[in-house]
Amino acid sequence: MRRILLGLRRLLFGQPIATDALTPVTLRTRLALPVFGAGMLSAVAYAPDAVVDALRRGSQQGAIPFMAVGVVLIMLLLGFAYRANVRARPDGLGDYGTVRDLLGRRWGVVTGASLLIDYLFTVAVSVAAVTQIIVYLVPVARGWAALIAVAIIGVMTMVALRVIRDRVRVILTVWFGFLAILTLMLVFGLLRHGADTAAPIPANPPTTWTIMLAYAGAIASGAVMVTGIEHLASAAPNHAEPRGKRAGRTLLIAVVASAAGFLTVSMLAWSYRITGWADGPILLQTAQEVFRRPFVLWFVALFAGAILWAAASAVFRRFSILASSLAKDAYLPRQLSMKSDRLVVRGGILAVAVPAAIMVAATGANVEQLVHMYVVGAFTAIVLSQLAMVRRCTDRLQLATDRRERRSLFSERVLHATAAAVAAVVLLVVAIFNFINGAWVAIALIIALVVVMHSINRHYAAVRSDVTLRPQDSHIALPSATHGVVLIAQLHRPAIRALAYAKAARHSSLEALGVRMDAQAARDLQREWGTIDSGVPLVIVDSPYRDLIRPVMDYVESIHRRSPRDVVVVYVPEYIVGRWWERALHNKATKRLRSQLLSLDSVVVSAVPWHLESARDRRAVEEAPPSPDEQLP
């Protein structure tokens, strides 16, 4: 069975990868764009839906182009601000490292928690958008949307665990192919928009609070286009030298390309009167109106689904990297910083896959509902990172003496302060107006994660203080004596082996310990013990309620009461089985006993293994059947 499980594991996850086989990858801009820019460009597939949905609630669909321009201005502002981030700190820690080093660890934890929640919703929204595309093309699958989304996440998880790397040519084709499709949509849309097409809905001036709130909500919802910018900013180590300059250029090109794609879809949706009342992605509804050919619609859907898949897959890697950094800083379990034999952090992959699957299942893979939860984490990190960069510019201004350098730092500080203010307004609008629609979920998750991370950090700090060497520990203090206790349930070969091991340790005192749960069995054990020349006394303690653990614990504690500085070593025979189903037949009581004994101070538990025939890698031999009155192990 063990070989079958090992073979199945190799089939699912692949052969182990040696550490030396891991080589750092550096990319030029044309290759880094599709690899790290997929997250931002993929938002074109669902960000127009968020804008139209927000305007539809106030019946203000005529303002789509103005809201799209507002979103694009926010994207460009944050793009230039993050280009300065990357040039100043071309490392892989992104916003978390920037905030941690400039504003302190407390705000760094808030940033890290916000980004983890942002990555979680990135996977959920991307998968929900893919599901929405499938349902739009195959309406009969509408009732299976949640199941389809969970299945997609399952496939993504297996791909991430198996470390199936995306081929560069495939990513290049997907990224630039999606841009080419958007360009064709723009050209065909302009050419086919004629007299037979209904005039676009006119926009209403923001004269009432209702209209103003609808416009503010639309811009804030459309700001989901910016959520992939942190992934671009943290990709500097994967760029060729000069890293900061190349990474900043890659980020800015990706922002401009994504903004152009978003503006194209939004303008065409407005021109062709896509009001959001019909079911389906705005991108596909617009493509259907523009091309009017079913096979072209499927082609658009294929590239849209591929770019969304690439974005979600990239998040698995980025989540693992950030979780590993937080684990190294003792804010998450240490296991999240350990790589598996496939050189991936399996814990990090599962930590994002499982909650994302729960989210899409709970919301029925509803993109609009998930988007309301999505923006909070991303913009919390953006606000804190821009404030951190303001602090950096201020600190450098105090030391700068060159006039040109001071002018540059002052301009950069204004840029970061403006970006922080705009991002804070977006965050505030989303947190207030989308609170009931789902933003409260993201806020609650961030707060809960921050509390958990601080609790983990306090625990690790207490452990570190507890195990750190002190001056009095410079000389290893030996116990005054060691007492060996061999647990004997019956006299058989495993018990004799445990006794032999105990004798070899040369304890100050050694005795065998039996527990009388059956009077006849106890008498038989005493009689058999007298027939062997062990040189070790046998002590039998009474157990009137047929409990094995409590009498042994009381006996070991009695030794400590007599000699508190002594160490007691308890030897427990244990069977090693070779078949999986045999585990249910052996070692249950001894495992419970070992776990209880380990809770006592100055007690060492030694499990003495006895390999049963099934565990020995050879053909079983026939033995004489036991007599009816013989006690079996």
Side-chain angles (χ1 to χ4, degrees), residues 190-200 272 292:
L190 293 176
L191 292 177
R192 290 184 173 178
H193 192 277
D196 60 333
T197 307
Y272 284 85
R292 301 172 186 173

Side-chain angles (χ1 to χ4, degrees), residues 62-192:
I64 290 176
F66 301 100
M67 301 303 102
V69 170
V71 172
V72 167
L73 291 177
I74 293 175
M75 292 178 66
L76 294 177
L77 172 64
L78 294 179
F80 281 104
Y82 266 88
R83 184 182 66 165
N85 280 36
V86 173
R87 290 184 172 183
R89 293 179 56 93
D91 55 39
L93 293 179
D95 287 350
Y96 168 66
T98 301
V99 175
R100 180 197 63 185
D101 297 342
L102 295 173
L103 297 184
R105 286 184 170 267
R106 186 176 297 275
W107 289 113
V109 171
V110 176
T111 304
S114 302
L115 287 173
L116 291 178
I117 299 303
D118 171 46
Y119 295 154
L120 165 65
F121 284 112
T122 300
V123 175
V125 171
S126 299
V127 171
V130 174
T131 306
Q132 191 178 43
I133 292 172
I134 296 173
V135 170
Y136 185 77
L137 297 176
V138 188
V140 71
R142 185 175 303 279
W144 301 86
L147 184 60
I148 292 172
V150 172
I152 292 173
I153 292 178
V155 175
M156 283 184 177
T157 305
M158 292 305 302
V159 170
L161 291 174
R162 191 175 171 83
V163 200
I164 300 176
R165 300 295 184 188
D166 301 321
R167 294 187 179 275
V168 175
R169 291 183 179 179
V170 175
I171 300 178
L172 279 171
T173 303
V174 170
W175 202 82
F176 288 105
F178 189 63
L179 280 179
I181 286 176
L182 295 176
T183 304
L184 289 175
M185 282 181 60
L186 178 61
V187 173
F188 275 80
L190 293 176
L191 292 177
R192 290 184 173 178

Side-chain angles (χ1 to χ4, degrees), residues 133-322:
I133 292 172
I134 296 173
V135 170
Y136 185 77
L137 297 176
V138 188
V140 71
R142 185 175 303 279
W144 301 86
L147 184 60
I148 292 172
V150 172
I152 292 173
I153 292 178
V155 175
M156 283 184 177
T157 305
M158 292 305 302
V159 170
L161 291 174
R162 191 175 171 83
V163 200
I164 300 176
R165 300 295 184 188
D166 301 321
R167 294 187 179 275
V168 175
R169 291 183 179 179
V170 175
I171 300 178
L172 279 171
T173 303
V174 170
W175 202 82
F176 288 105
F178 189 63
L179 280 179
I181 286 176
L182 295 176
T183 304
L184 289 175
M185 282 181 60
L186 178 61
V187 173
F188 275 80
L190 293 176
L191 292 177
R192 290 184 173 178
H193 192 277
D196 60 333
T197 307
I201 303 173
N204 297 319
T207 55
T208 64
W209 280 104
T210 305
I211 298 177
M212 293 176 64
L213 293 178
Y215 288 174
I219 293 178
S221 298
V224 72
M225 284 294 305
V226 191
T227 51
I229 199 169
E230 195 277 338
H231 190 195
L232 279 162
S234 61
N238 298 105
H239 284 73
E241 294 290 349
R243 291 179 177 176
K245 184 177 180 180
R246 286 186 183 275
R249 182 170 58 198
T250 300
L251 186 147
L252 203 55
I253 293 174
V255 169
V256 171
S258 303
F262 169 75
L263 192 60
T264 295
V265 176
S266 300
M267 294 297 291
L268 289 175
W270 172 72
S271 299
Y272 284 85
R273 299 179 69 94
I274 306 296
T275 59
W277 291 106
D279 292 332
I282 298 297
L283 173 65
L284 295 190
Q285 291 185 50
T286 306
Q288 190 171 20
E289 291 292 329
V290 169
F291 295 115
R292 301 172 186 173
R293 294 290 187 275
F295 73 91
V296 179
L297 181 64
W298 279 79
F299 199 67
V300 175
L302 175 64
F303 274 89
I307 195 72
L308 288 166
W309 177 284
S313 299
V315 169
F316 278 91
R317 294 189 291 269
R318 181 59 194 154
F319 186 97
S320 298
I321 293 172
L322 178 59

